[in-house]
Amino acid sequence: MVLVMADTAKKIRVGVQIRPNHVSWKTMEAAWAYCDQEGVDSIWTFDHFFPIDGDLDGSSFECWTTLAAMAPQTEYAQIGALVTCYSYRNINLLADMARTVSHACGGRFILGLGAGWLDKDYEEYGFEKLGDAERIRGMQKSISLIEERYSKLNPPPVNPIPLLIGGLGQKLTLSVTAQYADMWNGWGTPAEISHLNNVLDDHCRKFDRNPDEIERTVALFEYADEATYDQYLAAGATHIIIVQSGPTYEFEELGNLLSWRDSRNQQIGEAHG
C-alpha cells in the first residue's frame, strides 16, 4: 500500500483516552495496564466532574487523582489529561501537581490544557465561567505562570513537560497553540482536521515558529479502517487517539490500529533512509 501522507519523517503514534466514567476502578486499572502492555504511545483521562456521554448523572472519577494512580501502574506510554481545565484549580497548584505526576511516572507526563466548556462542571463545583474569549485569554496567561512555578519547585519536573493544547477555536485557541504548545489536539473529519492544521500553520508563521515543532493529535470516537487513518495522516495528524468510555472498553480493534502504525512507521523509515 502506498503511504498517503504529507512529506514528513515524523513518527506516527497511537493513543487511547480511557474516560473515567460509567466504570469501576478495577476495570479502569485493567484498561491502563492492557493498553500500556500492548504498546500504545499515550494514555489519557479527562478533566470533568461528571460524565459527558451516556447517563450524565452516572459515575465518574476525578482527573488528577486518577492520573496520580495511573502513573505507577503504567511503564511505557506517556500519560495525561485530554484536557485539563486551567481554571478548575489554582494555577500554581496545578503546576505543582503536574510536576509531582511527572515524578510518579518517571517523566512520561504530558500537560494537556484547555479553556473548559461544560456548564455543569462550573455550576456544581462553584467555579465562575467566563465568556469564551476571556477563558482562552486566561489560559494563555496561565501558561507563563505554570512555567514560572516549574522553575521554583524543588525538585523540578523530571524533564521539560510537553504542553498540549486542545480545542478548535481558529482565532484564539490555535493562536495560543502556535505560540506556546508542543502538541495540539483536535477532532473532526479528515477535511476539518486538514483545514485546522492549515490555520495552525498560518498562526505559526505569524509568530515566526516552525509549524513542524507542534505535534498534531486527533481524537477519534470510534475505530476506523486503514484508508481512513491514512486520510488523517494526509490531513497532518500524526498521533491518533481513540476515545473509549465505560462501563466496558472496546479494545478488539486496537491491535489493528497498532499494526497500521507500525507498518506506516516502517514505510516512513524506509522512505527517509
Side-chain angles (χ1 to χ4, degrees):
M1 179 180 292
V2 176
L3 178 63
V4 181
M5 183 179 174
D7 183 18
T8 178
K10 287 184 177 179
K11 183 179 179 182
I12 298 165
R13 306 209 293 158
V14 163
V16 179
Q17 185 191 46
I18 298 173
R19 289 183 171 178
N21 52 204
H22 309 305
V23 68
S24 71
W25 186 266
K26 290 297 184 182
T27 298
M28 192 163 57
E29 284 183 320
W32 301 336
Y34 178 82
C35 291
D36 192 50
Q37 293 297 317
E38 286 296 298
V40 302
D41 299 289
S42 62
I43 300 174
W44 309 83
T45 186
F46 70 24
D47 191 17
H48 294 287
F49 307 116
F50 305 94
I52 59 174
D53 55 45
D55 179 2
L56 301 185
D57 293 317
S59 66
S60 188
F61 293 105
E62 192 274 332
C63 172
W64 280 86
T65 41
T66 296
L67 282 169
M70 185 193 301
Q73 296 190 46
T74 54
E75 297 181 71
Y76 309 109
Q78 290 183 288
I79 66 171
L82 199 66
V83 287
T84 200
C85 178
Y86 79 96
S87 62
Y88 288 169
R89 300 160 189 88
N90 174 280
I91 204 63
N92 286 282
L93 174 60
L94 180 62
D96 201 345
M97 293 161 64
R99 178 280 306 251
T100 300
V101 173
S102 84
H103 279 267
C105 69
R108 294 178 288 111
F109 181 67
I110 299 168
L111 177 60
L113 211 60
W117 61 274
L118 187 64
D119 287 342
K120 188 174 182 178
D121 284 342
Y122 288 92
E123 294 166 359
E124 291 281 347
Y125 277 68
F127 300 121
E128 180 184 11
K129 186 182 181 187
L130 303 174
D132 291 349
E134 291 176 284
R135 296 200 313 279
I136 296 168
R137 293 190 182 99
M139 179 181 68
Q140 180 176 3
K141 292 177 181 177
S142 75
I143 294 170
S144 60
L145 295 175
I146 289 170
E147 292 293 337
E148 181 180 356
R149 179 54 55 184
Y150 284 161
S151 70
K152 296 178 179 179
L153 293 170
N154 184 17
V158 172
N159 48 36
I161 296 175
L163 174 65
L164 176 147
I165 291 178
L168 306 181
Q170 298 183 42
K171 183 177 180 181
L172 292 180
T173 299
L174 293 184
S175 176
V176 175
T177 301
Q179 294 174 72
Y180 301 102
D182 303 292
M183 306 168 70
W184 169 68
N185 179 255
W187 52 93
T189 66
E192 290 168 336
I193 292 299
S194 178
H195 171 72
L196 291 167
N197 272 320
N198 287 332
V199 173
L200 179 53
D201 289 349
D202 288 341
H203 282 298
C204 286
R205 296 183 187 101
K206 292 175 186 176
F207 296 106
D208 196 26
R209 186 175 183 196
N210 182 353
D212 290 339
E213 294 177 0
I214 302 175
E215 182 178 5
R216 315 304 171 92
T217 81
V218 60
L220 302 186
F221 298 93
E222 59 185 6
Y223 293 98
D225 56 22
E226 289 190 359
T228 302
Y229 295 139
D230 283 340
Q231 290 174 9
Y232 279 105
L233 293 186
T238 60
H239 192 152
I240 307 293
I241 301 172
I242 296 294
V243 176
Q244 290 285 288
S245 190
T248 59
Y249 301 114
E250 302 296 331
F251 296 130
E252 288 82 0
E253 297 297 321
L254 181 59
N256 292 334
L257 176 56
L258 293 172
S259 295
W260 167 84
R261 175 200 65 184
D262 295 342
S263 174
R264 295 300 178 266
N265 280 335
Q266 182 179 355
Q267 292 180 35
I268 293 170
E270 292 171 352
H272 291 270

